[in-house]
Amino acid sequence: MPPSDTTAAPPSGPPTRPTPQGQPLAAFLPKRSAGLKLILVCALALLMAIPALFVYGVVAERTSGQSQALAEVAERMGGEQAMLGPFLAVPYSRTPNPEKPDQIVYDIAIAFAETGTVDADVDVEIRERGIYEVPVFKSDIAMDAVFSASALADALPSDASPAWADARLYLGVQDTRGLADRLNVTVNGSGIWMEPAAYEHESSDRYTAVPPSHLTLAAGKIEGLEDLSAPLNVSARFVLSGAGRLSVLPFAKDTSLAMASNWDSPSFTGGILPSDHTAGEDTTDGFEANWRVPYLARGVPGSGNRYVLNQLSGYGSRDMAVRFIQPTNPYQSVERALKYAAMFIGFVFLAYFLFEITSQARAHPAQYILVGLAQSIFYLLLLAFAERMGFDAAFAIAATMTVSLISLYSVSVFGSLRTGLNAFAILSGIYGLIYVLMRAEDHALLAGALASFTAIAVTMFMTRNVNWYGDKASA
């Protein structure tokens, strides 16, 4: 019996190549693929924007602290202030239906001045609250108003019975805590006593004027208004302190405001802008500004009932206002810088990627992450230094530290001093662009768009001959 053949027959079908043990994906991925590395770099750039969001939260917290400091200082100084110049008021009663004499209507007639002028000399200084700086002001106010002799008589209904004994002259300010002394008010040269206007007539508020919601009124009694035969000249002098914003409501048919201040960075707000001002001129120390609101531009009748005052500060208010702002708020500047964090992290990662494809060295994804974290810490350094020395000096220090660190790290990663110097030059340009965007707020979008286009164009040019697939793996 012949011996059996123990040799196994070869399996039928096409031969197969063994898959590398322990790394099944290696057979399907190209080796040293620049395309895959670019995709990974882009993903890491987006991922590294997450730490910047945590810095954004710190900025929000510090901004809240600044607002709280402003509120605490304002509480002691008077806060934002608004002023309403002199106006006249007299309560009256009337019987609208003669057949029902018991139905009496009570109201108050209000008359505004023909012309009104305000001169405000505002001295602004910085108060410190912890690490925060709050601009506060102290203003010397001079108000003058001229009323026609028939102002109140014309404001009364034809069937009204005025209570001339309760006629008053009113003034208004937003926060009376800002008044350091009494109101010095004269009528035709004679002084009158001003007191809080919280009086009621016969235990009812039917004779009480209804001021704008943010104002507190002071009132002074005037004798002989029913017998006026000549214009009434009223002047008021007082000192008013506050913080943040100072405004004047158009209290006369024709109102003018002249303001002078030592503050170099005013923001003109309100419903009426100044007709001329010297803000922003290098030859001035502080600013001077002038406003005028004529009768038609004021949009409020020259007389009315107890509710007419609300129209002065209602919809479409024509107030004349200045906000005393700090020109370089560090929190606003850092917050603006953080809005571009993802873009600039991407710029640095693109630079590292270009260093890779133009050299024999390779950067590991972990090294990209370290570079991204260094850029995120830049914003934290910027915020910490800006609170104490201003944005410009803080940016110079934080940018120098970050650029130097990443450039020295590039020498180690790519093993080339030349690459480190190139990184220093490129990073200096990137952080210089960040500073330009922070300072050129009106042109920030244009500059950012052009910078992004330039970065992509340079990357496309330098990688035009790159084999994005790398060495093809064996099938």
Side-chain angles (χ1 to χ4, degrees):
M1 184 175 187
S4 60
D5 189 0
T6 58
T7 304
S12 60
T16 59
R17 300 181 66 92
T19 300
Q21 297 296 323
Q23 44 179 349
L25 282 178
F28 303 99
L29 296 178
K31 299 177 181 179
R32 298 175 64 86
S33 170
L36 287 178
K37 190 58 174 288
L38 180 59
I39 294 174
L40 179 61
V41 167
C42 292
L44 287 176
L46 293 176
L47 184 65
M48 295 314 299
I50 296 177
L53 294 179
F54 289 101
V55 180
Y56 193 92
V58 177
V59 174
E61 179 184 357
R62 307 300 279 185
T63 303
S64 176
Q66 184 189 43
S67 300
Q68 183 178 358
L70 175 61
E72 292 176 355
V73 174
E75 184 178 0
R76 293 161 176 79
M77 295 295 297
E80 295 187 353
Q81 292 287 12
M83 297 176 288
L84 177 63
F87 65 92
L88 298 175
V90 60
Y92 67 87
S93 61
R94 54 187 292 262
T95 305
N97 188 352
E99 297 181 357
K100 298 180 180 179
D102 294 336
Q103 294 183 354
I104 303 175
V105 175
Y106 297 91
D107 208 335
I108 182 169
I110 292 175
F112 297 104
E114 298 297 315
T115 61
T117 60
V118 181
D119 289 307
D121 187 2
V122 185
D123 181 58
V124 184
E125 63 179 13
I126 296 295
R127 295 287 180 90
E128 294 185 354
R129 183 74 173 177
I131 63 172
Y132 303 105
E133 295 183 342
V134 180
V136 299
F137 61 82
K138 184 178 181 180
S139 53
D140 293 315
I141 307 297
M143 289 182 169
D144 294 285
V146 178
F147 295 85
S148 68
S150 60
L152 269 181
D154 294 340
L156 289 166
S158 57
D159 60 345
S161 299
W164 291 108
D166 291 326
R168 296 290 190 274
L169 173 75
Y170 287 87
L171 285 170
V173 296
Q174 182 166 344
D175 195 333
T176 54
R177 292 175 300 179
L179 292 171
D181 204 346
R182 64 185 296 265
L183 297 174
N184 295 311
V185 181
T186 61
V187 177
N188 286 341
S190 300
I192 63 172
W193 176 257
M194 303 294 291
E195 59 185 356
Y199 76 91
E200 297 179 353
H201 183 79
E202 295 179 355
S203 301
S204 172
D205 63 354
R206 55 196 174 187
Y207 279 166
T208 304
V210 179
S213 58
H214 63 293
L215 293 184
T216 301
L217 296 180
K221 189 175 181 180
I222 303 180
E223 303 287 349
L225 286 178
E226 68 274 22
D227 299 324
L228 280 181
S229 59
L232 196 70
N233 296 287
V234 178
S235 66
R237 304 290 184 268
F238 56 95
V239 177
L240 185 65
S241 63
R245 187 176 187 266
L246 179 64
S247 66
V248 178
L249 296 175
F251 60 92
K253 295 179 181 179
D254 193 310
T255 310
S256 299
L257 167 63
M259 183 180 295
S261 174
N262 63 333
W263 193 249
D264 293 327
S265 304
S267 175
F268 299 112
T269 61
I272 298 291
L273 294 177
S275 55
D276 60 86
H277 64 83
T278 60
E281 297 182 7
D282 297 333
T283 58
T284 63
D285 182 16
F287 74 93
E288 295 180 357
N290 296 281
W291 290 259
R292 179 172 175 245
V293 184
Y295 192 14
L296 289 179
R298 188 177 85 141
V300 177
S303 61
N305 63 4
R306 61 198 297 258
Y307 298 103
V308 72
L309 296 179
N310 278 320
Q311 301 178 37
L312 289 177
S313 60
Y315 177 78
S317 174
R318 270 71 166 178
D319 63 328
M320 302 161 282
V322 175
R323 186 174 293 279
F324 301 98
I325 62 173
Q326 291 180 293
T328 54
N329 187 321
Y331 305 109
Q332 291 180 351
S333 299
V334 175
E335 182 180 351
R336 194 180 306 128
L338 283 167
K339 294 178 180 178
Y340 296 92
M343 181 177 71
F344 286 106
I345 291 174
F347 283 176
V348 175
F349 278 18
L350 275 180
Y352 255 60
F353 176 75
L354 293 179
F355 293 152
E356 276 200 65
I357 64 174
T358 55
S359 66
Q360 298 300 319
R362 291 294 179 264
H364 192 273
Q367 294 171 317
Y368 278 94
I369 292 177
L370 290 176
V371 171
L373 289 176
Q375 289 182 271
S376 298
I377 293 175
F378 158 77
Y379 296 101
L380 199 59
L381 290 171
L382 178 61
L383 174 62
F385 286 125
E387 287 184 331
R388 287 163 172 80
M389 61 183 63
F391 181 79
D392 292 339
F395 189 94
I397 294 174
T400 300
M401 293 174 63
T402 306
V403 170
S404 300
L405 175 63
I406 298 178
S407 300
L408 290 174
Y409 191 58
S410 301
V411 177
S412 175
V413 171
F414 298 104
S416 169
L417 178 61
R418 180 178 179 181
T419 302
L421 294 175
N422 289 338
F424 184 85
I426 293 174
L427 291 174
S428 297
I430 291 175
Y431 280 84
L433 177 60
I434 296 177
Y435 182 80
V436 170
L437 290 181
M438 297 309 98
R439 283 290 170 256
E441 182 177 358
D442 295 337
H443 306 289
L445 179 60
L446 177 61
L450 291 176
S452 301
F453 178 83
T454 302
I456 294 299
V458 170
T459 303
M460 293 172 68
F461 176 79
M462 294 188 65
T463 60
R464 63 191 185 281
N465 297 322
V466 171
N467 178 12
W468 294 105
Y469 291 100
D471 297 334
K472 292 183 179 181
S474 298

